[in-house]
Amino acid sequence: MTAFATPSFFFREAALQIDAEKERQALGDRLPAHVGIIMDGNGRWATKRGMPRAFGHRAGTERLRGIIRLSSDLGIRALSLYAFSTENWKRPKAEVDALFGLFMEYFVNEVEELHTNRVRIRVLGDVEGLPANVGAAVRAAEKKTAENDGLRLNVALNYGSRAETVRAVQSLAREAASGALSPDAISEETLLSRLDTAGLPELDLLIRTGGEQRLSNFLLLQAAYAELAFVDTLWPDYSDELYMDTLRDYARRNRRFGGLK
Ligand code: IPE
Ligand code: IPE
Ligand code: MG
């Protein structure tokens, strides 16, 4: 039985095409432990249909359920989703408001089911800078699911890799200034342990949908040796099958980490 074979999932998405257990056995340890996704292309998806951009964001949110469920059923340990960047505040207020409305809806409607399926939620990014209701909702979701042992689902909200690095460096500097930490004792591990992704497996695969080939300030340090996959499909059209194709492509890659293999 798959982790997500609950009645509510069955009724909402009856036509599950992919046999996750079969795929899991076929790919085995060639599956990534940690997948990051830059979910790009919602706006263009809506514009192509003559609809407002917010319509695309809603369609994009609809895709989350399938991708999260498949990741969980495949036994992927961590999934990090880029939902709102520190740069996205530059967008018109109406679009930002629509996005935060959707995030609220998502956290209110989906957390119970994620919890049932043992998903553990963490928010990456500056939670203090989020609207108060969104901040409270994400903290509540983290708290509720903190003891779960299933998929580690990380939602990057008000996230920027440079801002995250600044926060990490500030925390190290504060500790050094207090005398509790010697600057010479700061290692790569020390720095990584202060990032929002502390304690998660190394990022193995970073996917960007929507056709752009850039990282847009997402997980820059964590991606040091990640495999990159740039997919032309707009996020709302990125189906379970296409995700599976990306994972199969990843499984065929030869990762050398600077050595010879
Ligand atoms: C990604 O889709 C979602 C967010 C950035 C919140 P976009 O809104 O960037 O969609 P495009 O790139 O304009 O099509
Ligand atoms: C990256 O997409 C951010 C998210 C998907 C949340 P953007 O659409 O904001 O990135 P740019 O502006 O094209 O680099
Ligand atoms: Mg975009």
Side-chain angles (χ1 to χ4, degrees):
M1 192 174 104
T2 63
F4 276 96
T6 57
S8 53
F9 260 106
F10 183 77
F11 288 119
R12 271 196 273 172
E13 264 181 63
L16 176 60
Q17 304 289 329
I18 290 171
D19 184 341
E21 192 49 44
K22 204 174 111 203
E23 298 289 349
R24 181 183 181 152
Q25 275 166 22
L27 295 175
D29 61 5
R30 299 196 62 81
L31 278 164
H34 186 173
V35 178
I37 308 184
I38 302 172
M39 309 181 291
D40 196 24
N42 294 346
R44 280 164 284 164
W45 186 92
T47 304
K48 265 176 40 182
R49 285 161 178 76
M51 299 296 281
R53 291 177 57 86
F55 182 72
H57 294 312
R58 180 168 292 281
T61 312
E62 296 294 326
R63 217 35 313 273
L64 290 174
R65 202 175 296 128
I67 297 287
I68 294 168
R69 176 182 52 184
L70 182 52
S71 302
S72 171
D73 287 349
L74 287 168
I76 289 170
R77 282 160 57 208
L79 176 66
S80 295
L81 302 173
Y82 205 7
F84 191 87
S85 76
T86 46
E87 287 72 34
N88 287 145
W89 293 107
K90 292 177 191 161
R91 296 190 179 195
K93 185 172 182 306
E95 179 166 346
V96 172
D97 288 348
L99 281 165
F100 282 112
L102 279 170
F103 300 148
M104 274 308 284
E105 227 183 277
Y106 184 79
F107 278 99
V108 169
N109 294 334
E110 300 288 331
V111 168
E112 196 57 53
E113 184 143 339
L114 292 169
H115 182 50
T116 307
N117 287 291
R118 308 199 318 275
V119 174
R120 181 170 166 190
I121 298 171
R122 184 193 288 189
V123 175
L124 312 178
D126 179 12
V127 176
E128 304 301 312
L130 290 170
N133 62 337
V134 180
V138 301
R139 285 295 184 232
E142 285 182 330
K143 195 163 168 230
K144 186 183 177 78
T145 62
E147 305 300 322
N148 288 344
D149 60 0
L151 176 74
R152 306 284 308 252
L153 175 64
N154 310 302
V155 185
L157 271 180
N158 195 22
Y159 176 88
S161 198
R162 289 185 172 180
E164 174 196 38
T165 307
V166 168
R167 278 185 274 112
V169 169
Q170 283 174 338
S171 103
L172 291 170
R174 265 193 296 272
E175 214 173 307
S178 78
L181 175 71
S182 157
D184 296 327
I186 297 174
S187 63
E188 292 188 10
E189 285 69 33
T190 323
L191 177 59
L192 294 175
S193 75
R194 301 298 167 107
L195 298 178
D196 297 348
T197 49
L200 296 169
E202 281 281 332
L203 186 70
D204 290 317
L205 171 62
L206 180 52
I207 303 169
R208 181 178 188 134
T209 63
E212 310 291 358
Q213 304 198 357
R214 55 176 170 254
L215 300 182
S216 301
N217 205 11
F218 190 49
L219 302 179
L220 302 183
L221 285 175
Q222 295 86 340
Y225 265 104
E227 294 295 321
L228 307 180
F230 296 105
V231 181
D232 286 336
T233 311
L234 304 172
W235 170 254
D237 289 332
Y238 190 58
S239 61
D240 289 2
E241 289 76 14
L242 290 172
Y243 182 37
M244 212 53 243
D245 287 345
T246 309
L247 293 171
R248 285 193 205 100
D249 173 73
Y250 166 85
R252 283 191 292 269
R253 295 193 192 186
N254 180 9
R255 302 183 74 192
R256 289 186 289 276
F257 298 98
L260 305 174
K261 234 194 250 172

